[in-house]
Structures are given as structure tokens and as C-alpha cells.
Amino acid sequence: ASDVYKRQAIDYAIDKVKTLQVRATTNGFASSIIEKPVATSHSLASAVIHNSLFYDAKQAGLSDKTIMELANIFGWDIDFSEGLRPGDSFSLLYESKHIDDERIENGHILAAEFTNRGDKYQAVRFVDKEGRAEYFSANGESMRKTFLRNPIDFARVSSHFNLRRKHPVLNRIRAHKGVDYAASTGTPIKATGDGRIIFRGVKGGYGRVIIVQHGQQYSSLYAHMSKYGRYKNGSYVKQGQTIGYVGKSGLATGPHLHYEFRVNGVHRNPLTTKFPAASPIKKHLLAEFKQQTAPLLGQLAHAEQTQLALNQP
């Protein structure tokens, strides 16, 4: 009978860490989940931008997930669709997870530095007592601002804010009070800040439009959508949530997002307007913040110096 039970056994690998084991017993079947021990260490990656963030970061051995996390951390300060220049560079310290000395995945970025057009930005991960994690500058300022710089990930700017632009369809001077992002039909469009949808419908040459009101002062408009997201007129949306999809409804020569940003009803260039920062570290947490993050920034600095020394002829 014991031979029969041995044959009636199934091991199913759920992922690289967890395995479901099912065994026959005298009372039927018993199942359990076995987890392999995962070792976590810190790894460093650095690169100089020659082609694009994605290409050069992949060459440095980073996963798509880590590259997107890097872009999201610095996305408030750096325009990754248009603002990168050859010679820009980055370094990051991140968690590396292993099973039996085999790397299985990258964990969170712990500390990072990005140099863009000569300006240096630093970020470090801080986890509070409730387990909430956020990225801050070395002195405790939040890396998040009130608004995202771009409503689409890595889209190409096809037309800039220009009060004297000739309209591509009407062929006459008509102020272009927003930014156009060329992207394929169906590309998700993100709300650039928390707010309430105050308009969801067709608006003349803008086609399918959503307007989001952010507090008292700010509003954002998203036009030419192929279809709306699941949020209705009057719904509250969080920054980064998908509110619609790129299309070419209305007066549009091809699929793109027309995005406008207004301050007190006045159109502002969303690529250059200065956004207010989110809340910094609370004063009573500053000591804990420094204690937790100083070693991470120290590791990053030490690794960068070591790398620099190795690259010296």
C-alpha cells in the first residue's frame, strides 16, 4: 500500500520559490506549500546613457521591472521621453534575491543617483513602522510631486506647447495649449495627479475627452481617446490610474494623446511647469530616516568610488 501512496504524489512548481506538494494518505490527499529559502543581498548597477534608458539599463543587467521602478522614482524631475542626453548616467543599489546561489529576481531599489544634463538627483527608500515604503531625497524631501510629468510611459512628444502653431488639420494658426504624445492606439493614459473627473465626453475637435480637477488650483485635460477607462464623471482617481486609452477621435491625423495642464484656469506648459512637492519626512521621523537610509547611501557612494577606481587606466 505504501508503494501506491508514493506513486500518487504531485509536485507543482508555483514559481521559483513555492512548490505545491500533494500526497495520497490513508484518509485521502494532503497538500502543502514548500518554500525554498531565499537569500537577499545588495547589488550595484551603473550605466552611461548612449542610446536610451531602456537599452543602456538592459545592457547593465537590469530587469524591465527595475528599469520602470528607476524611471518612476525620478520621473518627477527628469523627462524620460525627451529630456535624456548622451552622457547622462545613473547608479543604483538594489536588492538581489537568490536561491542556492542562483539569482531569481531583483527586489526593490534601495538607493539611486541619476545625473541628467549636469544636474544630480539622489533617492533613497524609506520604510516606516507600518511597512509603507516611499522614496525621498537624502535630506528627506519626497521624490513624488503632486503631478506626474508625463501621462504616458515613454511616449514620444510629437508636438510641443506653442501659442503660434499652425493646426495640422485646419491649416491655420491656432494656439497649441498642450503637449501631444504620439503613441499607438490603446496605449494606457494615466491621471497625472489625484483628483475628480469633472468632464467625460466628446468635446468638439478634441474627440473623447476627460478633464480631472486637482484641488482648487489645478486641472488636466486628456483628448483624442479611443475609449475611456472605468472611471465615470464625478469619480475620484488616484495618480497613475488608467483613465483612458490613446486614439484619434476628433480632429486628429493619427493616434496620439493631447494633454493640457491648467493652473487657476490658465494653460501652462506641462513639460516645464514647476510642480509642488509631496510631503517630506515628518520631523519626528527624521532621526529614524537618517539611521535607516544613511548606510544605503554610503553603500552606493562606496560602490561608485570602487567602480570609478576600476575604470581608471
Side-chain angles (χ1 to χ4, degrees), residues 125-306:
R125 190 171 190 263
F126 174 70
V127 184
D128 65 18
K129 285 185 170 63
E130 283 73 43
R132 291 188 296 261
E134 193 173 335
Y135 290 91
F136 295 88
S137 67
N139 62 0
E141 294 294 325
S142 177
M143 296 302 292
R144 286 191 307 112
K145 307 295 187 294
T146 313
F147 298 98
L148 292 172
R149 185 64 70 185
N150 297 317
I152 304 181
D153 287 329
F154 300 107
R156 178 175 61 85
V157 174
S158 53
S159 182
H160 286 264
F161 187 93
N162 180 358
L163 300 182
R164 295 288 300 165
R165 185 188 74 151
K166 182 174 281 191
H167 194 279
V169 177
L170 302 176
N171 200 31
R172 61 174 182 262
I173 297 295
R174 175 177 283 190
H176 188 236
K177 296 180 178 179
V179 173
D180 288 348
Y181 294 90
S184 56
T185 298
T187 300
I189 299 166
K190 299 183 292 188
T192 52
D194 293 0
R196 184 171 65 89
I197 295 176
I198 61 169
F199 183 87
R200 181 184 189 265
V202 175
K203 208 174 185 63
Y206 279 180
R208 293 185 188 90
V209 167
I210 279 183
I211 300 175
V212 181
Q213 183 73 38
H214 313 278
Q216 295 296 313
Q217 288 183 287
Y218 305 98
S219 65
S220 55
L221 176 147
Y222 314 77
H224 303 305
M225 293 180 171
S226 59
K227 60 179 181 176
Y228 306 109
R230 62 188 178 90
Y231 302 102
K232 306 295 183 187
N233 197 23
S235 297
Y236 283 90
V237 291
K238 289 286 187 185
Q239 181 186 82
Q241 288 181 325
T242 298
I243 55 173
Y245 301 87
V246 169
K248 54 179 181 178
S249 58
L251 283 176
T253 55
H256 71 281
L257 167 69
H258 174 81
Y259 172 63
E260 294 182 5
F261 184 76
R262 303 183 193 192
V263 182
N264 295 321
V266 178
H267 291 86
R268 297 288 176 83
N269 185 345
L271 294 180
T272 58
T273 297
K274 286 197 172 184
F275 297 145
S279 300
I281 284 285
K282 293 180 172 60
K283 286 183 179 177
H284 72 278
L285 289 175
L286 260 179
E288 183 188 344
F289 170 76
K290 294 285 186 184
Q291 184 180 18
Q292 188 184 128
T293 61
L296 299 174
L297 289 168
Q299 282 185 59
L300 180 64
H302 177 71
E304 285 178 331
Q305 288 166 3
T306 303

